[in-house]
Amino acid sequence: MSKQQLNLPSNWHGIAFRVRYQENDPMGVVYHTNYLNWFELGRTEMIRDLGFRYRDMEQAGVLLPLIDASLAYGRPARYDDRVAVYTRIVNFSRLRIDYEYRIHLLTDDDLSVGDASAAGTRPIFTADDELPGEPLTSGSTRHVWVNREFAPIRLDKVLPSLYDALVRSLQD
């Protein structure tokens, strides 16, 4: 697999939700570690958009631990704000995968991004699209494919259907 065959970075996958009260600190803004939870929500839903569930991946013995994370805070999100997490793949191999994230504030009437609780498919945005909403936070994470013993694995050998789905999503 060469990078010439893959369109990196991938398209953006978006998921929207409301900030819950318990996600805020005493200053009334989202506590900083919650953004990492939101990044995980973005990854999970992106994999779901590709036809897989993390649960099934883990049942097949494939784990995806975090090995590096970076966040850049702009404007804070606050209780009851409607926010979107946009997720895309920026690097992919048989051994690793890196994601990029953008968190945007949405207006209540902006329905261009599907809510986490909504059934059906959510929109996908290309690299050329302007992502809906006002930018708040951005970040990235790096992960490695491992088995239950945390030994590195080759995704194409252990779970070829997921590997093929990821490659297809990067060729579109």
Side-chain angles (χ1 to χ4, degrees):
M1 171 184 66
S2 71
K3 286 191 178 185
Q4 290 78 22
Q5 298 170 318
L6 303 179
N7 295 321
L8 289 169
S10 72
N11 291 326
W12 292 100
H13 292 251
I15 185 80
F17 57 93
R18 290 209 176 270
V19 175
R20 297 170 298 182
Y21 184 78
Q22 70 267 23
E23 293 173 314
N24 290 264
D25 64 17
M27 294 181 288
V29 300
V30 171
Y31 187 65
H32 64 278
T33 59
N34 284 306
Y35 291 96
L36 290 171
N37 291 326
W38 294 356
F39 290 177
E40 182 177 6
L41 173 66
R43 286 192 307 276
T44 301
E45 294 305 316
M46 180 180 192
I47 294 293
R48 187 182 315 277
D49 289 347
L50 298 177
F52 287 85
R53 297 182 310 169
Y54 256 71
R55 177 189 317 173
D56 298 334
M57 192 173 77
E58 290 178 351
Q59 286 175 348
V62 175
L63 307 176
L64 193 59
L66 174 75
I67 60 172
D68 187 47
S70 174
L71 289 93
Y73 301 100
R75 252 189 78 223
R78 299 177 184 277
Y79 170 63
D80 205 39
D81 281 350
R82 188 160 177 270
V83 296
V85 177
Y86 301 104
T87 306
R88 70 179 176 178
I89 299 168
V90 293
N91 193 15
F92 173 70
S93 75
R94 295 168 176 97
L95 301 172
R96 293 183 183 212
I97 189 166
D98 300 346
Y99 293 94
E100 180 181 3
Y101 311 89
R102 304 259 172 90
I103 297 176
H104 287 205
L105 176 66
L106 299 174
T107 61
D108 287 343
D109 56 345
D110 184 348
L111 302 177
S112 61
V113 182
D115 284 338
S117 60
T121 59
R122 289 180 288 271
I124 296 174
F125 303 93
T126 70
D128 297 330
D129 291 335
E130 184 173 331
L131 297 175
E134 178 185 345
L136 299 178
T137 302
S138 62
S140 62
T141 59
R142 172 172 284 173
H143 307 263
V144 62
W145 303 105
V146 299
N147 63 20
R148 287 190 178 97
E149 290 75 38
F150 278 77
I153 60 168
R154 282 187 45 173
L155 184 63
D156 61 325
K157 299 292 184 193
V158 178
L159 194 54
S161 56
L162 176 58
Y163 176 81
D164 292 343
L166 288 165
V167 168
R168 275 192 310 276
S169 76
L170 296 171
Q171 291 174 332
D172 292 341

